[in-house]
Amino acid sequence: EDYVDYEDIDNKEKVKGIMNDIYFINHNRHETENTWLKSKQNDYEAKYISKLCNYLILQNYKPEQITILTFYIGQVLLIRKYLKENDINSVRVTSVDNYQGEENDIILLSLVRSNKNKEIGFLNTFNRVCVAFSRAKIGMYIIGNFDCIVEGESKLYEKLKSKDIKLDEKMRGIWAKITKKAEEMKIIGEKLTLICQNHKKITVISKIEDFGNCPEGGCQEPCKKRMLCGHACEKLCHNYDCNSRNCIKPCSKEYLPCNHPCPKLCYEECDKCEKIMEKTLPCGHIKKNCKCFENEYDIKCEEKCTRKLKCGHPCELSCYQVCDPNLCKVKVKKILLCGHEVLAECGKQLYEIICEKKCEAILECGHNCPGTCGKCIQGSLHIKCQSKCGKMLPCGHLCVPM
């Protein structure tokens, strides 16, 4: 009641993306006990705070500009857990006791206490309340069960008074005063009102899932801002620079000199035209399934060659291959060096052909040579005789070859 706003308060920066710079979010979800730490925590508030923090970052606030405060270490750990699930690792989450003497642009405060017995615990300490409500420079958002806290504050003082315990007069009815003032200023309720920076559309957050209605930090309208490439941004309303993300519209450029449209996405490099087409090659053949950028002189023609070799036979290679008479496969009669006539491939030289005619020479043993003319090197070196010897050994037995 003794405090008044500084005269320059109306010129201060407004919080981006939220209708009010300060707001009390009221709820009735109950707290739980962290039995390991013997500390209180409130799952609903932790999830809500993490989603609100993510939304503020999508308004282009740096994580260093936001601090999350709470009165209980159990709640500190729970909020950190949900922030991590939202890939937020740089926002400071700490207890009110550890934040004395510090401040930040935006403060998110989780009050935690919400129970049937209307117990408010640390919320009844003036120094803590004073610290919690005096850290924000631009905006502050407080979430808690204010009905429980106000009623719990009243019951606590009645209880202390009945036991003649000295009361902290600075704390007497402080939460009732805060709540009443918030009601007068219309900055308390179960619904938080967000406002899109671009289209000024309103999004009302009445439950945690409603943050899903502004996934990019704006509204459900497409952005439509003109990008450097000339296209209109089709992403959902957002606050980051459109040109910092890849444009996924079809490329509108044409290749030169073919004037074929580029089939890639706008952000991809056009590179070479890969349109599939027919090309007439220098040999006169038409090649299908060519890429537009390929040079006709670099394409191998797979058609059968129509030229004749020096021997007069048609070339059997592919068109792109060099005609070589030594590769002619046509069977022709040839007189070998041994004098025999054989059918052999036209392209083979005489020394490459092994004569398959039977040798027919008489070996020293009297048997006919089982080899061929080629294997016996035209009679200069016969292969071994394969016939049975049949001679009588000195022992009286017949000779059997091993």
Side-chain angles (χ1 to χ4, degrees), residues 18 51 77 382:
I18 304 181
K51 292 294 184 182
L77 299 180
H382 296 288

Side-chain angles (χ1 to χ4, degrees), residues 41-51 54 75-88:
Q41 61 186 32
N42 192 303
D43 191 71
Y44 178 80
E45 291 186 15
K47 288 179 178 177
Y48 194 107
I49 286 279
S50 65
K51 292 294 184 182
N54 181 67
Q75 187 73 345
V76 169
L77 299 180
L78 190 59
I79 292 172
R80 285 177 182 169
K81 171 192 168 185
Y82 288 127
L83 287 178
K84 190 173 181 180
E85 290 179 4
N86 285 275
D87 294 323
I88 301 172

Side-chain angles (χ1 to χ4, degrees), residues 39-213:
S39 179
K40 305 297 181 182
Q41 61 186 32
N42 192 303
D43 191 71
Y44 178 80
E45 291 186 15
K47 288 179 178 177
Y48 194 107
I49 286 279
S50 65
K51 292 294 184 182
L52 179 55
C53 180
N54 181 67
Y55 176 79
L56 287 165
I57 291 174
L58 291 174
Q59 306 311 304
N60 290 330
Y61 286 111
K62 297 177 182 178
E64 297 79 26
Q65 291 180 274
I66 304 169
T67 297
I68 300 175
L69 298 179
T70 185
F71 292 88
Y72 293 89
I73 189 64
Q75 187 73 345
V76 169
L77 299 180
L78 190 59
I79 292 172
R80 285 177 182 169
K81 171 192 168 185
Y82 288 127
L83 287 178
K84 190 173 181 180
E85 290 179 4
N86 285 275
D87 294 323
I88 301 172
N89 301 303
S90 302
V91 171
R92 185 178 177 187
V93 186
T94 186
S95 66
V96 172
D97 289 348
N98 290 333
Y99 206 65
Q100 296 189 47
E102 298 184 62
E103 61 182 10
N104 208 344
D105 289 337
I106 298 176
I107 298 294
L108 307 181
L109 176 62
S110 172
L111 301 181
V112 180
R113 300 315 301 263
S114 176
N115 53 79
K116 293 179 180 180
N117 297 327
K118 313 300 180 186
E119 296 175 352
I120 62 173
F122 295 150
L123 274 62
N124 191 48
T125 307
F126 179 78
N127 288 345
R128 289 190 173 105
V129 176
C130 182
V131 169
F133 277 83
S134 59
R135 304 299 98 186
K137 293 192 287 184
I138 298 176
M140 182 175 185
Y141 301 94
I142 309 98
I143 182 170
N145 186 341
F146 294 98
D147 298 328
C148 171
I149 295 169
V150 170
E151 188 176 345
E153 176 188 47
S154 176
K155 284 188 175 181
L156 176 62
Y157 274 84
E158 290 297 327
K159 181 178 179 181
L160 294 176
K161 186 176 181 180
S162 66
K163 294 183 178 181
D164 292 327
I165 298 176
K166 186 178 180 181
L167 306 177
D168 185 350
E169 293 300 323
K170 291 181 292 186
M171 278 300 297
R172 183 189 291 273
I174 189 69
W175 285 107
K177 294 175 184 178
I178 291 173
T179 304
K180 182 181 178 182
K181 186 67 174 177
E183 289 172 348
E184 291 173 358
M185 296 176 67
K186 297 181 180 180
I187 54 172
I188 186 171
E190 296 179 358
K191 299 176 181 180
L192 179 66
T193 303
L194 311 181
I195 181 168
C196 160
Q197 295 188 53
N198 301 309
H199 305 103
K200 306 307 176 186
K201 297 274 186 177
I202 297 296
T203 300
V204 176
I205 306 298
S206 56
K207 54 184 181 300
I208 295 174
E209 293 76 16
D210 291 337
F211 282 103
N213 294 328

Side-chain angles (χ1 to χ4, degrees), residues 186-292:
K186 297 181 180 180
I187 54 172
I188 186 171
E190 296 179 358
K191 299 176 181 180
L192 179 66
T193 303
L194 311 181
I195 181 168
C196 160
Q197 295 188 53
N198 301 309
H199 305 103
K200 306 307 176 186
K201 297 274 186 177
I202 297 296
T203 300
V204 176
I205 306 298
S206 56
K207 54 184 181 300
I208 295 174
E209 293 76 16
D210 291 337
F211 282 103
N213 294 328
C214 40
E216 297 285 350
C219 59
Q220 292 289 317
E221 295 284 333
C223 175
K224 294 297 184 183
K225 289 180 183 176
R226 189 66 57 185
M227 302 173 70
L228 293 177
C229 62
H231 291 131
C233 178
E234 292 295 337
K235 295 183 176 67
L236 282 180
C237 180
H238 54 81
N239 301 301
Y240 53 79
D241 180 7
C242 301
N243 296 295
S244 66
R245 309 296 170 91
N246 291 330
C247 176
I248 56 174
K249 280 198 168 185
C251 180
S252 57
K253 298 175 185 175
E254 291 183 348
Y255 292 106
L256 294 175
C258 63
N259 293 326
H260 291 142
C262 176
K264 297 185 178 181
L265 297 178
C266 180
Y267 77 93
E268 296 176 311
E269 187 177 352
C270 293
D271 200 18
K272 301 174 182 178
C273 180
E274 297 190 0
K275 182 178 175 64
I276 301 301
M277 58 184 300
E278 291 183 349
K279 284 191 177 244
T280 301
L281 305 184
C283 60
H285 291 129
I286 295 175
K287 174 86 178 213
K288 295 181 178 180
N289 298 321
C290 298
K291 292 181 179 179
C292 179

